[in-house]
Amino acid sequence: AVLVEAPAYPFPEILQEEEMEEEELVLGGCDSDDDGGQSSGLSDLEEEEGEEGDFIVVSEAEIRERQEEDVGILCSMLSVPRAWACALLVHHNWDVVKVQEAWFADEDAVRNAVGLLEEGGGSSSSPRGEKVSTCRICLEESPRGSMSAAPCGHLFCDACWACYIHIAIADGPGCLLLRCPDPACRVLVGKEMVERFAADEDGERYSLHLFRSYAGSNKRLRWCPAPNCQFGVEHVGGETYDVWCKCSHYFCWKCGEEAHRPVDCDTVARILKKHSEVENTKWILAYCKPCPKCHRQIEKNEGCMHMTCKDPCRHQFCWLCLGDWFKHGENTGGLYSCNPFNQAQESRPVDEAELRKKRAQQSLERYTHYYERWAANHTSRQKALQSIAELDTQVECLKDTYCQPHGQLKFLKEAWLQIAECRRVLKWSYAYGFYLRKNRNKQKFFEYLQGEAEAQLDVLHSCAEKEIDVFLDPTDAPLLEDFIAYRSKLVGFTSVVQRYFENLVRDLESGLKDVLPGNGEADAGDASDSGS
């Protein structure tokens, strides 16, 4: 059989978790506010949308207006052209104060650094055809009227200027501080000259580079990661990092992933990395075995059981029992002497590689336990968001059937918003639980809190999703009194679930600090206990 060497385990944490002490989990989400009264409900967050707080949602047009304001301020302050102001701001990372301080401290040094030179050249004013000059790029003679120069006075034909600027813009944002084509010259090619020779598409790209340079300089500004969203979110203070964009996307401002309270950004990155790599790990565990001699992971890709490892090992062994192939002869009972289960177990010593593989399988089973529940709550949340999008139809039906104003039907949306938010919290709580393996008491208390919150959420979810159906049939709808009773019931469930999840988030973000240590017991190597 031909062996194909499989890659090393791509999921080193699976192997290392059983051999090394797990790193301390940084407990708590991006929101480090320890205010016990802060709600984890979407309804509260939605009410705050648009109000002044820790974040400001801004559009691309608003950011461009700010950019133009900064350029105008610098033009007035230093009495320089707009092209110079743009170059100075780009060079100083769009910090108006830094430009001002540097300019008045040593104007000549700033001019030399940016390449600013008073006008001394430019397009020739001579009539076309009267004089000719040689372009220093293409070495062709051209009329002076069809040649241009930067303030340094180095003449190049207009065709070469257009080509030079096109290539510079295509290369990226370096075109914002473009220098004269003469290798020995460091004079800036200004914004007006770039726009003069740039084609329409290149001009738009240059403008985009200038805009991105400005937006990227603001460390407090992050673009919304939702597809096709044109809004940015500016952090103006505070310690809350869960953000509602105007496009309705809810995300963490620090890492750009979806909002993930009560876990922190590092935990999110670790669990998402596991999600992306676990399928490869499952394949290796299912279809690969280590060479008994060199321990490289190998894949069997042909039919016979006689295996030969690659150079330089060249060890020959049996795929079934991993025993030395030369011992599978007449002296040991024949070729298939490894068939009986007991004999195979007794004849083959359990080496370190086999133990590592078993531990990896146990860790993988534990991971699968948490991942399945993580994914199930993710799916439930997506369906809840879909139900919210389709809620208007139900509201109109109930309004017509029971003659209720919209204000009396808001409880439906509030319930579904709470469900969606709690599914999100519950989803990330399973990532929290996956890394919580240090203390048995904390593990049990965490599972108790999580189980109680999940049970209450299931009651609310069922009430909002299934019990509403009887009221949506206008031909056989229950009495108004029954609908009012249902409304009171759903409002009560919503309030109860919100309190349960507030407690869950608060306790997890505090690191379950009220739970006493479990007599020094560490569960880092006990996958069966921590995975139940």
Side-chain angles (χ1 to χ4, degrees), residues 20-31:
M20 302 173 61
E21 184 177 4
E22 186 78 27
E23 296 179 2
E24 286 288 347
L25 175 63
V26 181
L27 302 176
C30 288
D31 184 357

Side-chain angles (χ1 to χ4, degrees), residues 420-451:
E421 170 64 1
C422 291
R423 288 296 178 191
R424 183 193 64 78
V425 172
L426 198 59
K427 176 180 80 169
W428 289 111
S429 73
Y430 279 103
Y432 185 104
F434 178 76
Y435 288 105
L436 184 63
R437 307 177 65 190
K438 287 289 185 182
N439 181 277
R440 193 181 303 273
N441 287 348
K442 285 190 175 184
Q443 183 78 25
K444 290 182 178 179
F445 185 60
F446 161 74
E447 291 171 353
Y448 167 77
L449 289 176
Q450 185 188 54

Side-chain angles (χ1 to χ4, degrees), residues 2 16 71 88 104 327 474 505:
V2 178
Q16 294 170 359
V71 173
L88 287 167
F104 290 115
K327 295 181 180 179
V505 170

Side-chain angles (χ1 to χ4, degrees), residues 40-41 415 418-419 421-423 452-461 490-504:
S40 62
Q418 190 67 51
I419 290 169
E421 170 64 1
C422 291
R423 288 296 178 191
E452 289 293 308
E454 189 164 11
Q456 296 298 325
L457 176 58
D458 286 339
V459 172
L460 172 62
H461 205 152
L490 189 60
V491 169
F493 283 160
T494 303
S495 178
V496 169
V497 168
Q498 180 173 338
R499 288 196 297 272
Y500 266 95
F501 275 83
E502 284 175 357
N503 293 335
L504 176 65

Side-chain angles (χ1 to χ4, degrees), residues 12 20 24 66 89 97 104 120 127 172 179 185 251 273 316 322 339 341 375 385 445 458 466 482-483 505:
M20 302 173 61
E24 286 288 347
R66 294 184 186 182
L89 287 168
V97 176
F104 290 115
R179 305 305 172 104
C185 183
F251 68 99
K273 183 180 180 182
Q316 298 183 44
L322 299 182
N339 277 3
F341 175 76
L385 293 175
F445 185 60
D458 286 339
K466 298 179 180 179
D482 296 330
F483 176 73
V505 170

Side-chain angles (χ1 to χ4, degrees), residues 337-348:
S337 61
C338 60
N339 277 3
F341 175 76
N342 290 334
Q343 182 179 350
Q345 294 297 319
E346 294 172 359
S347 62
R348 177 170 56 86

Side-chain angles (χ1 to χ4, degrees), residues 106 122 187:
D106 192 342
V187 171

Side-chain angles (χ1 to χ4, degrees), residues 40 110 143 220:
S40 62
V110 174
R220 295 183 176 182

